[in-house]
Amino acid sequence: MNVLSDDLHDQDRHWSRHAKRYDEVFLDPYAPEVENPLWAALEAIPGARSKTVADLGCGTGPLLPQLAARFKRVLALDFAPGMLERARARLAGEAADRVTFLARPMHELGDLAGNVDVALAVNSLVMPDVRVIDRTLQAIRAMLRPGGRFLGIVPSIDAIAYHMMLLYDRALERGLALKDAERLASAQAERRYYDFVFGRFHYQGLRQKFWQPFEIEHRLTQAGFKDVRLAKVLYPWSDVLADGEDLSEYPRSWDWFFQAGCADAGSRSVS
Ligand SMILES: C[S@@+](CC[C@H](N)C(=O)[O-])C[C@H]1O[C@@H](n2cnc3c(N)ncnc32)[C@H](O)[C@@H]1O
């Protein structure tokens, strides 16, 4: 089955193109004002000094210095050369020695099977073709040692619908007619870029998967992960989101953090 090569080649070019302006275009889950469950989950991994972590779709490498400071070995994988170039530039000295860069798509992990303790995928499980996502999740599962952990963040499509609902209500409160309020909210939340049923986003050649929480549980479980747990990464309302500063009285918008385990041989528990 060759569903992978053409589509991925096209997307790695688009991601490389976005590398230079990455910080302006994407919401930053690492910003100090963001409530991000990833930090506590990483802290909770016991014995990291003797473990290998793989940052899958590492992008410009914002996590790499921290991972290199904490883990014995770090694999930094991305299929976009422009991203890896920026990631390499973040590291120096001893930290750089602990990181191995891998320029390849995330489903090609066969040579690492059973060798990695922790897999991370922060906003990188975004392949628009769900067959590629399923194959990637299976490869990640096979890459992990028994008792390994898989942690990540995925973009949330339900949060886009939530934001649009708030914008719609506000337009109605301002006295707009139903149709006009709908049009305004759709324009403000850039509805035209999203497919809400299949969970997809399309913008300037970049095509990304966006997730519903039930789909995260479904696909991870189907790929053989156990104990899938979800939590919200909460973003402050700000001018990065349409009308954000006026929405601060409402609960914050979010992406989905997940963590999952692999059963130890002969046991279902997760370390
Ligand atoms: C939104 S960025 C996130 C980068 C980084 N994890 C972070 O938190 O800043 C998504 C990254 O995943 C990479 N990516 C997307 N699909 C991929 C795939 N199938 N194989 C490898 N890398 C992929 C892109 O090149 C990009 O660098």
Side-chain angles (χ1 to χ4, degrees):
M1 175 173 71
N2 187 12
V3 297
L4 307 172
S5 50
D6 290 351
D7 194 48
L8 281 178
H9 181 59
D10 169 55
Q11 288 304 297
D12 67 9
R13 274 192 306 107
H14 284 297
W15 278 111
S16 274
R17 196 164 52 78
H18 281 278
K20 289 193 194 73
R21 291 188 51 238
Y22 183 81
D23 305 333
E24 295 158 43
V25 175
F26 293 89
L27 275 181
D28 178 6
Y30 312 119
E33 62 276 15
V34 175
E35 205 175 306
N36 188 342
L38 175 66
W39 303 127
L42 275 176
E43 276 297 311
I45 290 168
R49 250 285 153 259
S50 63
K51 288 186 171 167
T52 298
V53 62
D55 187 356
L56 303 170
C58 65
T60 64
L63 276 182
L64 295 178
Q66 261 168 283
L67 297 177
R70 189 156 148 67
F71 286 84
K72 179 179 178 196
R73 189 168 170 236
V74 181
L75 305 173
L77 179 149
D78 206 288
F79 68 177
M83 291 287 184
L84 287 179
E85 205 178 300
R86 283 195 61 189
R88 275 197 189 90
R90 280 187 198 263
L91 297 163
E94 221 182 284
D97 294 342
R98 268 200 282 279
V99 181
T100 305
F101 287 94
L102 302 170
R104 54 164 103 158
M106 231 186 285
H107 62 275
E108 288 182 7
L109 303 173
D111 54 327
L112 304 172
N115 278 319
V116 172
D117 301 285
V118 179
L120 281 176
V122 178
N123 288 330
S124 55
L125 280 173
V126 291
M127 298 72 114
D129 182 333
V130 289
R131 294 170 299 181
V132 182
I133 296 220
D134 288 340
R135 187 156 159 184
T136 300
L137 290 174
Q138 283 159 20
I140 296 171
R141 170 70 191 82
M143 179 185 76
L144 288 171
R145 291 199 172 101
R149 306 282 303 155
F150 181 28
L151 317 178
I153 295 172
V154 289
S156 137
I157 193 88
D158 48 325
I160 307 293
Y162 167 65
H163 186 196
M164 207 166 341
M165 175 195 76
L166 295 178
L167 294 168
Y168 185 40
D169 282 359
R170 282 180 65 77
L172 289 171
E173 277 160 24
R174 280 191 223 127
L176 265 68
L178 210 57
K179 270 285 161 210
D180 293 336
E182 203 176 301
R183 258 194 294 273
L184 180 63
S186 298
Q188 287 179 305
E190 302 184 315
R191 181 181 174 187
R192 66 190 180 285
Y193 297 134
Y194 295 93
D195 176 335
F196 286 89
V197 175
F198 289 108
R200 280 190 299 244
F201 170 73
H202 188 236
Y203 175 71
Q204 292 187 351
L206 201 60
R207 287 178 295 121
Q208 275 195 69
K209 170 82 186 147
F210 268 59
W211 294 73
Q212 287 278 3
F214 58 81
E215 188 172 3
I216 306 170
E217 286 193 70
H218 172 74
R219 294 200 185 280
L220 261 65
T221 305
Q222 193 171 251
F225 289 99
K226 312 281 174 194
D227 300 332
V228 180
R229 278 179 260 156
L230 305 181
K232 284 177 175 172
V233 178
L234 292 165
Y235 296 98
W237 288 115
S238 74
D239 57 2
V240 178
L241 299 159
D243 256 4
E245 278 158 353
D246 292 337
L247 297 172
S248 56
E249 69 192 276
Y250 298 104
R252 286 169 285 176
S253 186
W254 64 91
D255 276 329
W256 285 108
F257 167 78
F258 63 83
Q259 54 178 319
C262 306
D264 284 315
S267 142
R268 283 175 56 84
S269 70
V270 193
S271 64

